[in-house]
Amino acid sequence: MKDYFYHLGDVLTAGLEDGEVLLLAFDGEESDFVRFNQARVRQAGSVVRRSLEIDLIEGARHAGGRVELSGDAAQDQPLLMGLLAELRHQRHHLPEDPYIHYATGGPSGDHEVAAALPPRGEALEAIRGAAAGLDLAGIWAAGTLHSGFASSLGQRNWHTRASFNLDWSCHHTADKAVKANYAGLEWNPAMLEARMATARRELGLMAGPPRTIEPGRYRAYLAPRAMRELLSMMAWGGFGLKSQRTGQSPLLPMSAAGARFASTVHLAEHNGRGLEPPFSPEGFAIPPRVPLIDGGRYGESLVGPRSAMEYGLPVNAAAEFPGSLDMAAGELPAADVLATLGTGLYLNDLWYLNFSDRSRARVTGMTRFACFWVEDGRSQAPLNVMRFDDTLFDLLGPRLEGLTRERELLLDAGTYGGRSSHSHLLPGALVNGMTFTL
């Protein structure tokens, strides 16, 4: 795909008029998708996709468009030349854009992240074997993603990476289920079997009579999937420069008024993990790591090209939302979580989250999927659905007792418009008080 994209860049650049600048952003994939139901393959297919975004610029006026490509140059070139003419016509009728910002001297380069993906048949056999006898529903997505940038100024960038993601739930009865995933760059059947064994154990616990707790504050362990939900809420406007400067960030008490998380909290946008391209659609180089929370204090904001132009700062992100969020590990062995929790709640998953007070990072949501009541270090009963309402400054601040030594890589299973490359690498968290309201 790289040579094909670069060829299109040359062809379109040759068709420009004097004073025009052309930016091209390529997005493509070669992916397998397999849907499971009752641990059987119900739907399988492959996708080869090529999308191209074009921005045609003259001074501060520009017009953009997107087109799906066939991969056949003879078929695609007339389509693209037609789009170029249409954008040239539209641009004359558009006002100047004061925040247009693109790389004019960025480095060119190719980047490929090595991965060890299993053959599809081998992976499916391993999944069916590990899930034998379970009422498993889920999706397997694996393959290669491509990103490219080219400009008429001569810059050329390419990024290829491969990954797999099995996202599944195992159902007991009605709405009782265990949700889990196995994702990464290096396929390891033993890891899949271990995750499936955990799901089987938790399903066994789900068979018991559920327990309803009274509203109040309880000790709680938040597994990595639950942490992902909380941190995704934090990331919703939390780290972007624009949201900081316009006072809309839920972390404004931290960046503007000195509020802090526990000193053990370190969060970073880790682009160097390799799943996200190291360049923006405007051609800016993205640093491999941006510290967002450092030792409990606010670190750096994510600065996209338009905010960089507006506020006079360098670009350090393709978008002002983390695509590769890392949380540093702690010292609590995962094997000791239940014993350390003692009596309280083991929360595998949360959902339906929203801000109940955005200005104070107060979040509300529901427990779901394999949450348990724990007594004396042993899971006693599944927990009936509860609603929590608490501030992230308390959960990750004075009430945070520890983070697990082990972390889990969670890939976004989204496929809307293409297979997502967003990811989280997170530990679990033990808190000495989480507030449940009903």
Side-chain angles (χ1 to χ4, degrees):
M1 287 193 185
K2 180 181 70 175
D3 293 340
Y4 170 73
F5 168 60
Y6 285 172
H7 170 69
L8 292 181
D10 293 338
V11 170
L12 289 169
T13 296
L16 296 183
E17 297 179 353
D18 289 344
E20 289 183 332
V21 174
L22 185 67
L23 308 183
L24 301 173
F26 182 87
D27 175 38
E29 65 179 297
E30 294 150 323
S31 300
D32 290 332
F33 296 96
V34 180
R35 292 190 180 277
F36 292 89
N37 191 0
Q38 295 182 322
R40 298 176 182 175
V41 174
R42 296 299 185 187
Q43 187 180 36
S46 298
V47 170
V48 178
R49 180 181 58 81
R50 307 169 188 85
S51 302
L52 187 66
E53 287 194 5
I54 298 177
D55 199 6
L56 183 62
I57 304 164
E58 184 179 34
R61 298 180 192 275
H62 66 116
R66 178 185 177 97
V67 63
E68 300 297 320
L69 301 173
S70 69
D72 182 342
Q75 181 178 338
D76 291 336
Q77 286 181 22
L79 177 67
L80 291 169
M81 296 307 291
L83 177 59
L84 197 63
E86 183 180 335
L87 295 178
R88 184 174 291 126
H89 175 73
Q90 291 179 7
R91 191 189 58 211
H92 292 306
H93 301 283
L94 295 174
E96 291 189 344
D97 181 353
Y99 304 119
I100 184 174
H101 195 31
Y102 55 91
T104 56
S108 296
D110 296 343
H111 187 241
E112 184 167 351
V113 178
L117 302 185
R120 183 170 64 177
E122 178 182 324
L124 298 187
E125 283 302 311
I127 294 167
R128 287 191 297 187
L134 293 175
D135 183 4
L136 177 143
I139 183 168
W140 163 264
T144 306
L145 301 177
H146 307 282
S147 300
F149 172 80
S151 77
S152 58
L153 304 176
Q155 184 177 339
R156 298 285 188 272
N157 298 95
W158 187 259
H159 179 62
T160 293
R161 66 283 196 196
S163 63
F164 65 87
N165 187 20
L166 175 64
D167 189 84
W168 80 87
S169 54
C170 293
H171 294 259
H172 181 259
T173 54
D175 63 344
K176 291 183 178 180
V178 175
K179 195 165 176 54
N181 82 300
Y182 175 45
L185 308 180
E186 304 289 336
W187 172 248
N188 183 348
M191 182 66 73
L192 171 66
E193 291 174 2
R195 297 280 175 89
M196 208 66 76
T198 299
R200 288 180 186 275
R201 185 172 65 253
E202 291 178 341
L203 270 177
L205 292 168
M206 295 293 288
R211 174 160 181 160
T212 299
I213 60 174
E214 294 295 322
R217 184 172 294 175
Y218 296 87
R219 283 175 63 78
Y221 170 71
L222 296 150
R225 292 183 67 93
M227 288 293 288
R228 178 178 63 176
E229 299 302 318
L230 288 177
L231 296 182
S232 293
M233 288 300 299
M234 183 194 300
W236 181 17
F239 301 115
L241 180 66
K242 182 74 173 183
S243 63
Q244 288 286 333
R245 294 296 177 90
T246 57
Q248 300 178 71
S249 169
L251 298 183
L252 207 59
M254 173 177 276
S255 59
R260 294 185 57 182
F261 292 148
S263 60
T264 52
V265 175
H266 302 269
L267 283 167
E269 167 70 335
H270 188 189
N271 192 270
R273 192 186 299 151
L275 291 170
E276 292 280 298
F279 50 85
S280 76
E282 298 81 9
F284 292 101
I286 304 302
R289 192 176 190 87
V290 178
L292 304 174
I293 303 291
D294 191 9
R297 298 179 184 275
Y298 194 83
E300 300 178 22
S301 296
L302 296 175
V303 186
R306 296 183 69 82
S307 292
M309 173 62 81
E310 183 173 1
Y311 299 109
L313 292 174
V315 175
N316 68 4
E320 298 190 356
F321 185 91
S324 302
L325 189 64
D326 265 22
M327 186 173 195
E331 298 180 350
L332 174 63
D336 295 343
V337 161
L338 287 178
T340 308
L341 174 61
T343 297
L345 308 178
Y346 187 103
L347 305 177
N348 261 314
D349 220 326
L350 303 171
W351 73 349
Y352 290 147
L353 273 64
N354 208 336
F355 284 114
S356 54
D357 185 347
R358 187 183 183 91
S359 65
R360 298 183 180 182
R362 178 174 288 279
V363 174
T364 185
M366 310 290 289
T367 62
R368 192 65 191 271
F369 294 129
C371 296
F372 300 103
W373 172 254
V374 178
E375 284 184 14
D376 298 326
R378 296 174 62 88
S379 296
Q380 298 293 322
L383 185 69
N384 269 330
V385 174
M386 293 289 294
R387 172 171 290 282
F388 73 91
D389 191 301
D390 227 322
T391 168
L392 297 175
F393 287 110
D394 284 335
L395 294 176
L396 298 179
R399 293 191 218 149
L400 180 64
E401 286 191 8
L403 299 167
T404 58
R405 197 163 56 194
E406 297 81 2
R407 296 188 294 172
E408 187 172 338
L409 177 65
L410 300 161
L411 297 190
D412 183 357
T415 57
Y416 189 79
R419 192 154 61 92
S420 174
S421 58
H422 285 192
S423 64
H424 294 73
L425 184 59
L426 304 175
L430 185 66
V431 298
N432 62 18
M434 188 169 179
T435 305
F436 291 84
T437 56
L438 54 88

